[in-house]
């Protein structure tokens, strides 16, 4: 089979490596990919947001199956366009991708169908929003409606911070058009859990749970990032929580999307908070998480292509989705300065990391002499599986310590919170 993967980060690298385990996969093309993905697939420099470019590429180079991985092309209707060409795809059409692309759509859906989430108000008028945050309970969370690279959320612990967040989104246009409408919502407390789930619009098959580490600094300090590391499984996702999530969140969400006339097919990402009142939805994503995918897919025992085809063909009920009992840890290596300003083009020394771990490339390129260089904020994800979490963490850091470049940063505490929870459970 000839397969197309749209995207070019660590998530796509993990998807491609897993797809390649199926002997039926003859060729994978990635648009645009990156220097690491180029070792596993043919990369063609068409941007993931260039939907016309993707469609014209597929017209000239037919494929049997396409996987559209990032949020932007999904929201822009890439899958709709490929479907119109008769190409089978993994990923939701644009109407279903709104579950991530518009926070207002997601919040209104949850309210209408009784899916547990933080209480909220929507504003498209800055004065009304400013008046509201003068009186609402604090802390409060201010979110841009549209896609904002995970940076459109401000947790305001004071009224001044809340006002500044509203002004920044609605008056200064910090997130462009994405912030002209905002959601102001109740601050929830509790551990966070990421659950990625396969769904074909009929059944939901959750993958192994995971925990992201979003802040840039050890101990969860500093600004939010795209994610500095992940572990799986997440110890807060107990069988009791899982059962409640299936009944109160996962199935109701699928049914709600069907009832709204936009069935969701693909990977639905549930960003959950386990509050004292039970699990609640913090956010939906219409795609695999990054870097959650880099710990979840290495633990998938079932064949990924078979599962993805079953999602598209709506036969997921008959298709097993099984995970190994082990654990995984992914440590992200990032450019100094990330998530703020950072320099690109630094020479990367991988040492023997590739012999010790899966090295997923997020932001890498080759210079004119074919040397590997940095080309993004998040650069590499170093991922290891093991029978238990402590060993997976130890292996991932041993491999991460092999890698060097000028200014490289990483968090040293990926998985430590999970280990603390596991220890407490034991005592
Ligand atoms: P989001 O982009 O919606 O996932 O938000 C980014 C991060 O902000 C989440 O991972 C949470 O840590 C935090 N967050 C978002 N919404 C809330 C909320 N209502 N209460 C507390 N924390 C939140
Ligand atoms: N790691 C969070 C996300 O993919 O949105």
């Amino acid at each position: 089979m000839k397969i197309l993967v749209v995207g070019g980060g660590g998530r796509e690298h993990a998807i491609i490596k897993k797809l390649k385990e199926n002997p039926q996969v003859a060729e994978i093309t990635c648009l645009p990919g990156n220097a690491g993905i180029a070792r596993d697939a043919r990369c063609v420099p068409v941007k993931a947001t260039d939907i016309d470019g993707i469609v014209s590429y597929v017209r000239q180079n037919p494929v049997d199956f396409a996987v559209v991985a990032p949020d932007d092309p999904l929201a822009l209707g890439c899958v709709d366009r490929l479907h119109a060409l008769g190409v089978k795809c993994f990923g939701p059409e644009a109407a279903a991708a709104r579950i991530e692309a518009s926070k207002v759509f997601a919040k209104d859906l949850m309210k209408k169908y009784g899916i547990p989430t933080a209480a909220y108000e929507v504003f498209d008028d800055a004065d009304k929003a400013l008046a509201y945050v003068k009186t609402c309970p604090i802390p409060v969370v201010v979110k841009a409606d549209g896609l904002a690279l995970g940076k459109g959320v401000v947790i305001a612990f004071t009224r001044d911070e809340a006002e500044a967040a509203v002004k920044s989104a609605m008056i200064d246009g910090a997130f462009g058009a994405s912030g002209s409408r905002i959601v102001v919502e109740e601050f929830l407390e509790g551990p966070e859990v990421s659950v990625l789930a396969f769904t074909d619009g009929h059944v939901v098959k959750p993958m192994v749970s995971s925990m992201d580490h979003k802040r840039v600094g050890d101990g969860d300090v500093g600004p939010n990032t795209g994610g500095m590391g992940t572990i799986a499984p997440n110890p807060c996702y107990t069988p009791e929580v899982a059962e409640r999530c299936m009944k109160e969140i996962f199935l109701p969400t699928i049914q709600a999307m069907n009832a709204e006339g936009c069935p969701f097919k693909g990977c639905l990402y549930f960003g959950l908070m386990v509050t004292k009142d039970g699990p609640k939805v913090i956010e939906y994503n219409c795609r695999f998480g990054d870097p959650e995918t880099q710990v979840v897919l290495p633990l998938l025992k079932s064949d990924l292509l078979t599962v993805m085809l079953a999602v598209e063909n709506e036969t997921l009920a008959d298709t097993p989705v099984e995970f190994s009992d082990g654990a995984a840890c992914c440590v992200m290596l990032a450019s100094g300065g990330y998530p703020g300003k950072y320099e690109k083009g630094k020479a990367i020394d991988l040492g023997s990391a590739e012999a010790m771990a899966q090295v997923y490339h997020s932001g890498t390129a080759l210079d004119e002499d074919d040397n590997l260089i940095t080309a993004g904020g998040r650069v590499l994800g170093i991922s290891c599986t093991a029978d238990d979490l402590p060993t997976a963490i130890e292996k991932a850091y041993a491999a991460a310590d092999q890698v060097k470049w000028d200014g490289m940063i990483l968090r040293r505490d990926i998985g430590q919170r999970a280990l603390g929870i596991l220890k407490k459970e034991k005592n």
Side-chain angles (χ1 to χ4, degrees):
M1 277 180 85
K2 284 189 176 174
I3 299 188
L4 176 78
V5 175
V6 174
R11 163 186 51 207
E12 289 75 14
H13 201 183
I15 290 172
I16 287 168
K17 278 195 182 279
K18 201 72 193 176
L19 287 173
K20 278 179 70 175
E21 289 177 9
N22 184 321
Q24 282 178 300
V25 174
E27 190 181 291
I28 303 183
T29 302
C30 188
L31 309 180
N34 62 37
I37 293 175
R39 297 186 195 165
D40 291 293
R42 203 160 65 88
C43 293
V44 180
V46 177
K47 274 199 194 142
T49 47
D50 177 6
I51 310 301
D52 288 338
I54 295 167
V55 168
S56 90
Y57 177 85
V58 172
R59 272 216 185 93
Q60 285 156 32
N61 307 272
V63 295
D64 301 301
F65 192 59
V67 179
V68 182
D71 45 358
D72 285 319
L74 290 167
L76 290 168
C78 189
V79 169
D80 311 50
R81 296 278 301 276
L82 293 174
H83 276 162
L85 287 185
V87 179
K88 285 195 176 282
C89 296
F90 181 85
E93 294 196 345
R98 283 180 300 169
I99 200 162
E100 172 172 5
S102 168
K103 292 209 189 280
V104 174
F105 174 84
K107 295 296 292 189
D108 289 350
L109 185 86
M110 289 186 268
K111 189 191 248 176
K112 183 167 172 190
Y113 294 93
I115 298 164
T117 188
Y120 70 103
E121 299 284 339
V122 176
F123 297 95
D124 45 24
D125 179 298
D127 289 335
K128 285 194 181 136
L130 287 169
Y132 178 76
V133 299
K134 278 202 169 73
T135 56
C136 72
I138 294 285
V140 70
V141 183
V142 179
K143 299 185 173 185
D145 176 40
L147 298 173
L149 290 172
K151 291 169 193 157
V153 174
V154 173
I155 300 179
F157 289 96
T158 65
R159 264 182 222 294
D160 285 349
E161 281 171 15
E163 275 181 40
V166 170
K167 280 186 186 150
S168 150
M170 299 189 86
I171 299 173
D172 307 338
F175 313 110
S178 286
S180 57
R181 199 155 61 139
I182 61 165
V183 174
V184 181
E185 73 177 28
E186 171 199 10
F187 174 74
L188 297 178
E189 279 176 287
E192 286 184 58
V193 180
S194 305
V195 179
L196 320 185
F198 292 108
T199 174
D200 60 356
H202 304 282
V203 295
V204 187
K205 298 215 169 169
M207 299 179 224
V208 62
S209 61
S210 55
M211 184 191 289
D212 195 3
H213 297 68
K214 284 197 171 139
R215 303 299 191 98
V216 73
D218 284 12
D220 286 325
V221 297
N224 254 330
T225 69
M228 293 299 288
T230 37
I231 57 99
N234 185 325
C236 304
Y237 195 65
T238 59
E240 296 74 48
V241 172
E243 203 185 315
R244 282 192 72 170
C245 286
M246 182 54 89
K247 218 164 68 200
E248 296 169 24
I249 296 173
F250 302 164
L251 287 172
T253 301
I254 297 312
Q255 286 153 5
M257 293 297 277
N258 288 338
E260 291 296 306
C262 48
F264 190 100
K265 286 166 63 172
C267 172
L268 185 50
Y269 169 129
F270 298 90
L272 305 167
M273 198 170 265
V274 185
T275 72
K276 61 176 180 6
D277 303 322
K280 295 192 179 181
V281 178
I282 288 283
E283 64 162 348
Y284 293 114
N285 290 325
C286 65
R287 52 171 174 85
F288 283 96
D290 189 338
E292 284 88 344
T293 305
Q294 291 91 308
V295 286
V296 168
L297 287 187
L299 293 171
L300 177 65
K301 279 200 297 194
S302 310
D303 175 59
L304 179 60
L305 179 62
T306 306
V307 176
M308 286 182 156
L309 286 166
V311 166
E312 173 69 337
N313 295 329
E314 300 182 24
T315 55
L316 188 59
D318 313 322
T319 308
V321 179
E322 283 168 8
F323 286 83
S324 79
D325 291 330
C329 173
C330 176
V331 178
M332 291 297 317
L333 306 181
S335 299
Y338 175 76
K341 256 195 166 151
Y342 54 83
E343 286 179 27
K344 294 184 192 176
K346 308 284 183 193
I348 301 172
D349 175 3
L350 287 174
S352 34
E354 285 173 301
M356 300 164 72
Q358 284 280 10
V359 177
Y360 296 122
H361 289 238
S362 296
T364 63
L366 296 177
D367 68 11
E368 56 266 27
D369 301 319
D370 278 351
N371 298 310
L372 193 64
I373 54 170
T374 64
R378 292 189 298 170
V379 177
L380 297 169
I382 310 294
S383 180
C384 286
T385 56
D387 288 342
D388 55 49
L389 187 60
T391 316
I393 294 170
E394 202 176 298
K395 282 170 71 180
Y397 275 106
D401 283 334
Q402 291 284 317
V403 184
K404 292 183 177 52
W405 73 79
D406 191 16
M408 180 185 105
I409 60 165
L410 73 165
R411 270 182 67 162
R412 281 279 159 202
D413 64 343
I414 303 302
Q416 290 308 314
R417 180 183 289 181
L419 288 184
I421 295 165
L422 289 172
K423 240 186 229 155
K424 244 197 229 156
E425 274 173 10
K426 252 190 183 166
N427 293 334

